[in-house]
PDB file of all heavy atoms in Angstrom:
ATOM      1  N   VAL A   1       5.372  21.080  -7.651  1.00 96.00           N
ATOM      2  CA  VAL A   1       5.220  21.709  -6.339  1.00 96.00           C
ATOM      3  C   VAL A   1       4.088  20.987  -5.615  1.00 96.00           C
ATOM      4  O   VAL A   1       2.956  20.951  -6.098  1.00 96.00           O
ATOM      5  CB  VAL A   1       4.893  23.209  -6.467  1.00 96.00           C
ATOM      6  CG1 VAL A   1       4.755  23.832  -5.085  1.00 96.00           C
ATOM      7  CG2 VAL A   1       5.966  23.927  -7.287  1.00 96.00           C
ATOM      8  N   VAL A   2       4.398  20.408  -4.468  1.00 96.00           N
ATOM      9  CA  VAL A   2       3.409  19.644  -3.709  1.00 96.00           C
ATOM     10  C   VAL A   2       3.023  20.418  -2.456  1.00 96.00           C
ATOM     11  O   VAL A   2       3.860  20.682  -1.591  1.00 96.00           O
ATOM     12  CB  VAL A   2       3.949  18.254  -3.320  1.00 96.00           C
ATOM     13  CG1 VAL A   2       2.870  17.478  -2.558  1.00 96.00           C
ATOM     14  CG2 VAL A   2       4.387  17.481  -4.563  1.00 96.00           C
ATOM     15  N   TYR A   3       1.756  20.789  -2.392  1.00 94.00           N
ATOM     16  CA  TYR A   3       1.187  21.435  -1.211  1.00 94.00           C
ATOM     17  C   TYR A   3       0.605  20.354  -0.298  1.00 94.00           C
ATOM     18  O   TYR A   3       0.094  19.340  -0.766  1.00 94.00           O
ATOM     19  CB  TYR A   3       0.046  22.372  -1.609  1.00 94.00           C
ATOM     20  CG  TYR A   3       0.433  23.641  -2.316  1.00 94.00           C
ATOM     21  CD1 TYR A   3       0.919  23.627  -3.625  1.00 94.00           C
ATOM     22  CD2 TYR A   3       0.286  24.885  -1.699  1.00 94.00           C
ATOM     23  CE1 TYR A   3       1.253  24.802  -4.291  1.00 94.00           C
ATOM     24  CE2 TYR A   3       0.616  26.068  -2.357  1.00 94.00           C
ATOM     25  CZ  TYR A   3       1.092  26.013  -3.642  1.00 94.00           C
ATOM     26  OH  TYR A   3       1.421  27.188  -4.293  1.00 94.00           O
ATOM     27  N   MET A   4       0.656  20.598   1.002  1.00 90.00           N
ATOM     28  CA  MET A   4      -0.025  19.738   1.985  1.00 90.00           C
ATOM     29  C   MET A   4       0.349  18.270   1.819  1.00 90.00           C
ATOM     30  O   MET A   4      -0.488  17.384   1.936  1.00 90.00           O
ATOM     31  CB  MET A   4      -1.549  19.913   1.872  1.00 90.00           C
ATOM     32  CG  MET A   4      -2.022  21.328   2.111  1.00 90.00           C
ATOM     33  SD  MET A   4      -3.784  21.581   1.766  1.00 90.00           S
ATOM     34  CE  MET A   4      -3.798  21.536  -0.033  1.00 90.00           C
ATOM     35  N   GLY A   5       1.625  18.007   1.570  1.00 91.00           N
ATOM     36  CA  GLY A   5       2.047  16.639   1.289  1.00 91.00           C
ATOM     37  C   GLY A   5       2.874  15.967   2.359  1.00 91.00           C
ATOM     38  O   GLY A   5       3.326  14.835   2.171  1.00 91.00           O
ATOM     39  N   ALA A   6       3.075  16.618   3.499  1.00 92.00           N
ATOM     40  CA  ALA A   6       3.975  16.060   4.509  1.00 92.00           C
ATOM     41  C   ALA A   6       3.537  14.683   4.991  1.00 92.00           C
ATOM     42  O   ALA A   6       4.360  13.778   5.144  1.00 92.00           O
ATOM     43  CB  ALA A   6       4.101  17.022   5.688  1.00 92.00           C
ATOM     44  N   ALA A   7       2.254  14.506   5.232  1.00 90.00           N
ATOM     45  CA  ALA A   7       1.777  13.232   5.773  1.00 90.00           C
ATOM     46  C   ALA A   7       1.854  12.102   4.762  1.00 90.00           C
ATOM     47  O   ALA A   7       1.929  10.925   5.143  1.00 90.00           O
ATOM     48  CB  ALA A   7       0.334  13.386   6.273  1.00 90.00           C
ATOM     49  N   ASN A   8       1.856  12.447   3.471  1.00 92.00           N
ATOM     50  CA  ASN A   8       1.808  11.424   2.425  1.00 92.00           C
ATOM     51  C   ASN A   8       3.040  11.399   1.537  1.00 92.00           C
ATOM     52  O   ASN A   8       3.008  10.816   0.457  1.00 92.00           O
ATOM     53  CB  ASN A   8       0.563  11.651   1.542  1.00 92.00           C
ATOM     54  CG  ASN A   8      -0.726  11.459   2.295  1.00 92.00           C
ATOM     55  OD1 ASN A   8      -0.886  10.499   3.044  1.00 92.00           O
ATOM     56  ND2 ASN A   8      -1.665  12.377   2.120  1.00 92.00           N
ATOM     57  N   ILE A   9       4.141  12.013   1.975  1.00 94.00           N
ATOM     58  CA  ILE A   9       5.293  12.133   1.092  1.00 94.00           C
ATOM     59  C   ILE A   9       5.888  10.780   0.729  1.00 94.00           C
ATOM     60  O   ILE A   9       6.435  10.621  -0.376  1.00 94.00           O
ATOM     61  CB  ILE A   9       6.368  13.070   1.704  1.00 94.00           C
ATOM     62  CG1 ILE A   9       7.420  13.415   0.650  1.00 94.00           C
ATOM     63  CG2 ILE A   9       6.959  12.461   2.946  1.00 94.00           C
ATOM     64  CD1 ILE A   9       6.874  14.083  -0.590  1.00 94.00           C
ATOM     65  N   ALA A  10       5.797   9.791   1.593  1.00 95.00           N
ATOM     66  CA  ALA A  10       6.319   8.462   1.248  1.00 95.00           C
ATOM     67  C   ALA A  10       5.567   7.895   0.048  1.00 95.00           C
ATOM     68  O   ALA A  10       6.174   7.408  -0.919  1.00 95.00           O
ATOM     69  CB  ALA A  10       6.207   7.525   2.449  1.00 95.00           C
ATOM     70  N   GLU A  11       4.248   7.960   0.095  1.00 92.00           N
ATOM     71  CA  GLU A  11       3.440   7.458  -1.021  1.00 92.00           C
ATOM     72  C   GLU A  11       3.658   8.284  -2.281  1.00 92.00           C
ATOM     73  O   GLU A  11       3.750   7.743  -3.390  1.00 92.00           O
ATOM     74  CB  GLU A  11       1.962   7.479  -0.635  1.00 92.00           C
ATOM     75  CG  GLU A  11       1.039   6.956  -1.726  1.00 92.00           C
ATOM     76  CD  GLU A  11      -0.429   7.003  -1.331  1.00 92.00           C
ATOM     77  OE1 GLU A  11      -0.726   7.372  -0.177  1.00 92.00           O
ATOM     78  OE2 GLU A  11      -1.281   6.687  -2.196  1.00 92.00           O
ATOM     79  N   ILE A  12       3.755   9.596  -2.127  1.00 94.00           N
ATOM     80  CA  ILE A  12       3.951  10.469  -3.283  1.00 94.00           C
ATOM     81  C   ILE A  12       5.273  10.145  -3.972  1.00 94.00           C
ATOM     82  O   ILE A  12       5.330   9.988  -5.203  1.00 94.00           O
ATOM     83  CB  ILE A  12       3.927  11.945  -2.838  1.00 94.00           C
ATOM     84  CG1 ILE A  12       2.516  12.335  -2.383  1.00 94.00           C
ATOM     85  CG2 ILE A  12       4.389  12.863  -3.975  1.00 94.00           C
ATOM     86  CD1 ILE A  12       2.456  13.656  -1.655  1.00 94.00           C
ATOM     87  N   SER A  13       6.350  10.036  -3.211  1.00 95.00           N
ATOM     88  CA  SER A  13       7.654   9.752  -3.813  1.00 95.00           C
ATOM     89  C   SER A  13       7.675   8.374  -4.471  1.00 95.00           C
ATOM     90  O   SER A  13       8.235   8.204  -5.561  1.00 95.00           O
ATOM     91  CB  SER A  13       8.758   9.862  -2.760  1.00 95.00           C
ATOM     92  OG  SER A  13       8.541   8.977  -1.679  1.00 95.00           O
ATOM     93  N   GLU A  14       7.056   7.387  -3.840  1.00 94.00           N
ATOM     94  CA  GLU A  14       7.010   6.042  -4.424  1.00 94.00           C
ATOM     95  C   GLU A  14       6.280   6.041  -5.762  1.00 94.00           C
ATOM     96  O   GLU A  14       6.723   5.408  -6.726  1.00 94.00           O
ATOM     97  CB  GLU A  14       6.323   5.082  -3.451  1.00 94.00           C
ATOM     98  CG  GLU A  14       7.153   4.750  -2.224  1.00 94.00           C
ATOM     99  CD  GLU A  14       6.372   3.954  -1.203  1.00 94.00           C
ATOM    100  OE1 GLU A  14       5.173   3.651  -1.472  1.00 94.00           O
ATOM    101  OE2 GLU A  14       6.932   3.646  -0.124  1.00 94.00           O
ATOM    102  N   ARG A  15       5.173   6.765  -5.838  1.00 91.00           N
ATOM    103  CA  ARG A  15       4.401   6.780  -7.085  1.00 91.00           C
ATOM    104  C   ARG A  15       5.141   7.533  -8.184  1.00 91.00           C
ATOM    105  O   ARG A  15       5.092   7.151  -9.353  1.00 91.00           O
ATOM    106  CB  ARG A  15       3.028   7.400  -6.844  1.00 91.00           C
ATOM    107  CG  ARG A  15       2.143   6.565  -5.948  1.00 91.00           C
ATOM    108  CD  ARG A  15       0.686   6.919  -6.154  1.00 91.00           C
ATOM    109  NE  ARG A  15      -0.159   6.375  -5.118  1.00 91.00           N
ATOM    110  CZ  ARG A  15      -1.485   6.497  -5.105  1.00 91.00           C
ATOM    111  NH1 ARG A  15      -2.087   7.178  -6.073  1.00 91.00           N
ATOM    112  NH2 ARG A  15      -2.207   5.980  -4.135  1.00 91.00           N
ATOM    113  N   LEU A  16       5.823   8.617  -7.829  1.00 93.00           N
ATOM    114  CA  LEU A  16       6.575   9.353  -8.838  1.00 93.00           C
ATOM    115  C   LEU A  16       7.705   8.497  -9.402  1.00 93.00           C
ATOM    116  O   LEU A  16       7.947   8.487 -10.617  1.00 93.00           O
ATOM    117  CB  LEU A  16       7.131  10.642  -8.236  1.00 93.00           C
ATOM    118  CG  LEU A  16       6.098  11.714  -7.895  1.00 93.00           C
ATOM    119  CD1 LEU A  16       6.761  12.880  -7.156  1.00 93.00           C
ATOM    120  CD2 LEU A  16       5.394  12.227  -9.153  1.00 93.00           C
ATOM    121  N   ILE A  17       8.390   7.774  -8.534  1.00 94.00           N
ATOM    122  CA  ILE A  17       9.447   6.880  -9.002  1.00 94.00           C
ATOM    123  C   ILE A  17       8.860   5.766  -9.860  1.00 94.00           C
ATOM    124  O   ILE A  17       9.437   5.374 -10.887  1.00 94.00           O
ATOM    125  CB  ILE A  17      10.235   6.313  -7.804  1.00 94.00           C
ATOM    126  CG1 ILE A  17      11.038   7.435  -7.126  1.00 94.00           C
ATOM    127  CG2 ILE A  17      11.166   5.181  -8.238  1.00 94.00           C
ATOM    128  CD1 ILE A  17      11.692   7.028  -5.821  1.00 94.00           C
ATOM    129  N   ALA A  18       7.690   5.258  -9.478  1.00 91.00           N
ATOM    130  CA  ALA A  18       7.027   4.225 -10.276  1.00 91.00           C
ATOM    131  C   ALA A  18       6.657   4.727 -11.661  1.00 91.00           C
ATOM    132  O   ALA A  18       6.586   3.944 -12.625  1.00 91.00           O
ATOM    133  CB  ALA A  18       5.780   3.727  -9.547  1.00 91.00           C
ATOM    134  N   HIS A  19       6.430   6.032 -11.785  1.00 90.00           N
ATOM    135  CA  HIS A  19       6.123   6.641 -13.092  1.00 90.00           C
ATOM    136  C   HIS A  19       7.386   7.141 -13.787  1.00 90.00           C
ATOM    137  O   HIS A  19       7.327   7.977 -14.683  1.00 90.00           O
ATOM    138  CB  HIS A  19       5.133   7.797 -12.910  1.00 90.00           C
ATOM    139  CG  HIS A  19       3.728   7.353 -12.630  1.00 90.00           C
ATOM    140  ND1 HIS A  19       3.070   6.394 -13.373  1.00 90.00           N
ATOM    141  CD2 HIS A  19       2.843   7.747 -11.670  1.00 90.00           C
ATOM    142  CE1 HIS A  19       1.855   6.223 -12.898  1.00 90.00           C
ATOM    143  NE2 HIS A  19       1.687   7.016 -11.867  1.00 90.00           N
ATOM    144  N   ASP A  20       8.534   6.619 -13.360  1.00 91.00           N
ATOM    145  CA  ASP A  20       9.829   6.843 -14.018  1.00 91.00           C
ATOM    146  C   ASP A  20      10.465   8.194 -13.739  1.00 91.00           C
ATOM    147  O   ASP A  20      11.364   8.616 -14.475  1.00 91.00           O
ATOM    148  CB  ASP A  20       9.721   6.636 -15.542  1.00 91.00           C
ATOM    149  CG  ASP A  20       9.347   5.204 -15.900  1.00 91.00           C
ATOM    150  OD1 ASP A  20       9.815   4.287 -15.192  1.00 91.00           O
ATOM    151  OD2 ASP A  20       8.592   5.009 -16.874  1.00 91.00           O
ATOM    152  N   MET A  21      10.047   8.891 -12.686  1.00 94.00           N
ATOM    153  CA  MET A  21      10.835  10.043 -12.271  1.00 94.00           C
ATOM    154  C   MET A  21      12.100   9.500 -11.607  1.00 94.00           C
ATOM    155  O   MET A  21      12.012   8.629 -10.743  1.00 94.00           O
ATOM    156  CB  MET A  21      10.060  10.930 -11.294  1.00 94.00           C
ATOM    157  CG  MET A  21      10.862  12.152 -10.833  1.00 94.00           C
ATOM    158  SD  MET A  21       9.916  13.296  -9.765  1.00 94.00           S
ATOM    159  CE  MET A  21       9.015  14.252 -11.004  1.00 94.00           C
ATOM    160  N   PRO A  22      13.281   9.970 -11.995  1.00 95.00           N
ATOM    161  CA  PRO A  22      14.518   9.434 -11.426  1.00 95.00           C
ATOM    162  C   PRO A  22      14.551   9.524  -9.911  1.00 95.00           C
ATOM    163  O   PRO A  22      14.169  10.539  -9.318  1.00 95.00           O
ATOM    164  CB  PRO A  22      15.599  10.314 -12.062  1.00 95.00           C
ATOM    165  CG  PRO A  22      14.988  10.791 -13.345  1.00 95.00           C
ATOM    166  CD  PRO A  22      13.528  10.972 -13.054  1.00 95.00           C
ATOM    167  N   ALA A  23      15.022   8.452  -9.279  1.00 96.00           N
ATOM    168  CA  ALA A  23      15.085   8.424  -7.816  1.00 96.00           C
ATOM    169  C   ALA A  23      16.021   9.490  -7.273  1.00 96.00           C
ATOM    170  O   ALA A  23      15.880   9.926  -6.128  1.00 96.00           O
ATOM    171  CB  ALA A  23      15.538   7.042  -7.348  1.00 96.00           C
ATOM    172  N   ALA A  24      16.973   9.932  -8.102  1.00 97.00           N
ATOM    173  CA  ALA A  24      17.937  10.942  -7.661  1.00 97.00           C
ATOM    174  C   ALA A  24      17.441  12.366  -7.880  1.00 97.00           C
ATOM    175  O   ALA A  24      18.187  13.321  -7.652  1.00 97.00           O
ATOM    176  CB  ALA A  24      19.261  10.745  -8.398  1.00 97.00           C
ATOM    177  N   THR A  25      16.185  12.542  -8.309  1.00 97.00           N
ATOM    178  CA  THR A  25      15.635  13.882  -8.512  1.00 97.00           C
ATOM    179  C   THR A  25      15.733  14.687  -7.216  1.00 97.00           C
ATOM    180  O   THR A  25      15.287  14.230  -6.159  1.00 97.00           O
ATOM    181  CB  THR A  25      14.164  13.804  -8.956  1.00 97.00           C
ATOM    182  OG1 THR A  25      14.083  13.085 -10.177  1.00 97.00           O
ATOM    183  CG2 THR A  25      13.581  15.204  -9.154  1.00 97.00           C
ATOM    184  N   PRO A  26      16.316  15.886  -7.276  1.00 97.00           N
ATOM    185  CA  PRO A  26      16.475  16.667  -6.039  1.00 97.00           C
ATOM    186  C   PRO A  26      15.143  17.212  -5.532  1.00 97.00           C
ATOM    187  O   PRO A  26      14.240  17.530  -6.311  1.00 97.00           O
ATOM    188  CB  PRO A  26      17.423  17.791  -6.450  1.00 97.00           C
ATOM    189  CG  PRO A  26      17.272  17.921  -7.919  1.00 97.00           C
ATOM    190  CD  PRO A  26      16.949  16.551  -8.437  1.00 97.00           C
ATOM    191  N   VAL A  27      15.053  17.330  -4.220  1.00 97.00           N
ATOM    192  CA  VAL A  27      13.843  17.834  -3.549  1.00 97.00           C
ATOM    193  C   VAL A  27      14.270  18.889  -2.538  1.00 97.00           C
ATOM    194  O   VAL A  27      15.226  18.691  -1.786  1.00 97.00           O
ATOM    195  CB  VAL A  27      13.087  16.708  -2.823  1.00 97.00           C
ATOM    196  CG1 VAL A  27      11.829  17.258  -2.146  1.00 97.00           C
ATOM    197  CG2 VAL A  27      12.735  15.581  -3.782  1.00 97.00           C
ATOM    198  N   LEU A  28      13.559  19.987  -2.534  1.00 97.00           N
ATOM    199  CA  LEU A  28      13.752  21.015  -1.509  1.00 97.00           C
ATOM    200  C   LEU A  28      12.450  21.152  -0.735  1.00 97.00           C
ATOM    201  O   LEU A  28      11.382  21.346  -1.334  1.00 97.00           O
ATOM    202  CB  LEU A  28      14.135  22.358  -2.135  1.00 97.00           C
ATOM    203  CG  LEU A  28      14.297  23.545  -1.172  1.00 97.00           C
ATOM    204  CD1 LEU A  28      15.383  23.277  -0.141  1.00 97.00           C
ATOM    205  CD2 LEU A  28      14.607  24.827  -1.953  1.00 97.00           C
ATOM    206  N   VAL A  29      12.522  21.042   0.572  1.00 97.00           N
ATOM    207  CA  VAL A  29      11.357  21.178   1.444  1.00 97.00           C
ATOM    208  C   VAL A  29      11.485  22.490   2.202  1.00 97.00           C
ATOM    209  O   VAL A  29      12.548  22.787   2.743  1.00 97.00           O
ATOM    210  CB  VAL A  29      11.263  20.010   2.437  1.00 97.00           C
ATOM    211  CG1 VAL A  29       9.944  20.066   3.199  1.00 97.00           C
ATOM    212  CG2 VAL A  29      11.437  18.676   1.741  1.00 97.00           C
ATOM    213  N   ILE A  30      10.400  23.258   2.222  1.00 97.00           N
ATOM    214  CA  ILE A  30      10.392  24.521   2.957  1.00 97.00           C
ATOM    215  C   ILE A  30       9.204  24.506   3.909  1.00 97.00           C
ATOM    216  O   ILE A  30       8.063  24.356   3.484  1.00 97.00           O
ATOM    217  CB  ILE A  30      10.295  25.740   2.024  1.00 97.00           C
ATOM    218  CG1 ILE A  30      11.341  25.668   0.920  1.00 97.00           C
ATOM    219  CG2 ILE A  30      10.481  27.033   2.814  1.00 97.00           C
ATOM    220  CD1 ILE A  30      10.827  25.077  -0.369  1.00 97.00           C
ATOM    221  N   ALA A  31       9.479  24.639   5.180  1.00 95.00           N
ATOM    222  CA  ALA A  31       8.426  24.729   6.196  1.00 95.00           C
ATOM    223  C   ALA A  31       8.324  26.167   6.666  1.00 95.00           C
ATOM    224  O   ALA A  31       9.334  26.837   6.886  1.00 95.00           O
ATOM    225  CB  ALA A  31       8.748  23.817   7.374  1.00 95.00           C
ATOM    226  N   ASN A  32       7.098  26.658   6.791  1.00 94.00           N
ATOM    227  CA  ASN A  32       6.857  28.035   7.259  1.00 94.00           C
ATOM    228  C   ASN A  32       7.614  29.056   6.405  1.00 94.00           C
ATOM    229  O   ASN A  32       8.272  29.962   6.925  1.00 94.00           O
ATOM    230  CB  ASN A  32       7.261  28.183   8.724  1.00 94.00           C
ATOM    231  CG  ASN A  32       6.420  27.349   9.657  1.00 94.00           C
ATOM    232  OD1 ASN A  32       5.228  27.578   9.809  1.00 94.00           O
ATOM    233  ND2 ASN A  32       7.034  26.348  10.276  1.00 94.00           N
ATOM    234  N   ALA A  33       7.526  28.902   5.106  1.00 95.00           N
ATOM    235  CA  ALA A  33       8.273  29.761   4.186  1.00 95.00           C
ATOM    236  C   ALA A  33       7.992  31.235   4.423  1.00 95.00           C
ATOM    237  O   ALA A  33       6.853  31.636   4.670  1.00 95.00           O
ATOM    238  CB  ALA A  33       7.933  29.401   2.737  1.00 95.00           C
ATOM    239  N   THR A  34       9.042  32.037   4.374  1.00 95.00           N
ATOM    240  CA  THR A  34       9.037  33.503   4.466  1.00 95.00           C
ATOM    241  C   THR A  34       8.766  34.023   5.878  1.00 95.00           C
ATOM    242  O   THR A  34       8.599  35.217   6.059  1.00 95.00           O
ATOM    243  CB  THR A  34       8.049  34.171   3.493  1.00 95.00           C
ATOM    244  OG1 THR A  34       6.709  34.082   3.994  1.00 95.00           O
ATOM    245  CG2 THR A  34       8.125  33.576   2.089  1.00 95.00           C
TER     246      THR A  34
END
C-alpha cells in the first residue's frame, strides 16, 4: 500500500519491477476514498 505516491509513481513502479515484482502485477488506485 503506497501512501502519497502520485508524484513519484513512475519511479516507484520502475524500482519494484527492478526488484523482480512482475510487470503484470495488478494495481488499484483510489482517489478521495470513501
Side-chain angles (χ1 to χ4, degrees):
V1 181
V2 181
Y3 288 70
M4 300 172 287
N8 295 315
I9 192 58
E11 181 181 356
I12 291 168
S13 58
E14 289 172 1
R15 293 201 193 183
L16 291 173
I17 292 172
H19 286 311
D20 297 324
M21 180 176 278
T25 300
V27 180
L28 177 60
V29 188
I30 309 96
N32 295 294
T34 78

